[in-house]
Amino acid sequence: MMADKGYEDVQVAKYANLDIDRERRLGFPEVIYGENKSAEQLIGIAETMREHASRLLITRVDSGKAELVTSRVPGLIHHVDAHALTGFGNVPPADRNGYIAVVCAGTSDLRVAEEAAITLEMMGSRVERISDVGVAGIHRLFARLHVIQEADVVIAIAGMEGALPSVLGGLVAKPLIAVPTSVGYGTGLNGLIAMGAMLNGCAPGVTVVNIDNGFGAAYAAASIHRQIRREN
């Protein structure tokens, strides 16, 4: 007898191999990156995932494409601010205690912050959203600092000069994941300056993910959160 190969060919033009065994191995199904995939491809993938996964998350989906996909696949929800689709049904309730703080420096960073927040919620963590608390008005950060310090994990999101994670790194004794965003004027180099600042920050223990990668930060944070709560 042949062993189960752990993925399935999507039969719509044979353009994808879905890792249907991932939920068993890692605790969460394969996440679909929607950018540069057509609506028809996403429809085929979503329909196949429905047969094999308890939840579905598709990231980087623009509004036009999302409208087409949701019109064809029942049970999908379009999260406009996050540029994401989830299914099948509402975002599930949190399955562990505590919460993760998603902190963003400016309103312009909200797309990345919402991508992180929706990912965390789909992965079973409660989220506290804290927005527009960048260092240009640092009193706003201090007003919400108690909420951030009580979190199990913190995700700090910032563009421009990327200073927010360094400030939080000296104030919060929790795992801290920094996300540089592509927000900023020309010399920000589409997030490279923010990423460089975060990688070279003097606050110890800050982990940095790729530019605009709210999903990657959230996946890591949810994994940490799951382990913390399991040990407690």
Side-chain angles (χ1 to χ4, degrees), residues 165-219:
S166 288
V167 173
L168 286 175
L171 296 171
V172 178
K174 301 293 172 64
L176 196 159
I177 302 171
V179 187
T181 71
S182 52
V183 170
Y185 287 101
T187 54
L189 300 178
N190 293 315
L192 285 174
I193 297 302
M195 182 170 68
M198 293 176 185
L199 288 169
N200 288 282
C202 59
V206 177
T207 299
V208 184
V209 300
N210 209 344
I211 298 167
D212 291 337
N213 192 8
F215 161 73
Y219 201 103

Side-chain angles (χ1 to χ4, degrees), residues 32-116:
I32 309 305
Y33 181 72
E35 197 166 71
N36 297 326
K37 290 183 177 67
S38 69
E40 287 297 326
Q41 288 170 336
L42 292 179
I43 289 165
I45 290 169
E47 288 175 340
T48 302
M49 289 289 284
R50 183 192 296 278
E51 300 173 9
H52 300 286
S54 63
R55 291 161 285 179
L56 176 67
L57 173 60
I58 305 176
T59 65
R60 296 293 185 95
V61 184
D62 63 56
S63 293
K65 197 184 299 182
E67 184 176 352
L68 288 170
V69 176
T70 54
S71 70
R72 296 267 299 277
V73 184
L76 295 189
I77 299 172
H78 179 208
H79 303 270
V80 178
D81 292 338
H83 292 199
L85 296 172
T86 61
F88 306 99
N90 293 326
V91 172
D95 64 7
R96 60 189 69 101
N97 296 324
Y99 63 87
I100 296 175
V102 176
V103 188
C104 72
T107 305
S108 296
D109 301 308
L110 276 175
R111 184 193 65 74
V112 177
E114 275 303 300
E115 179 179 275

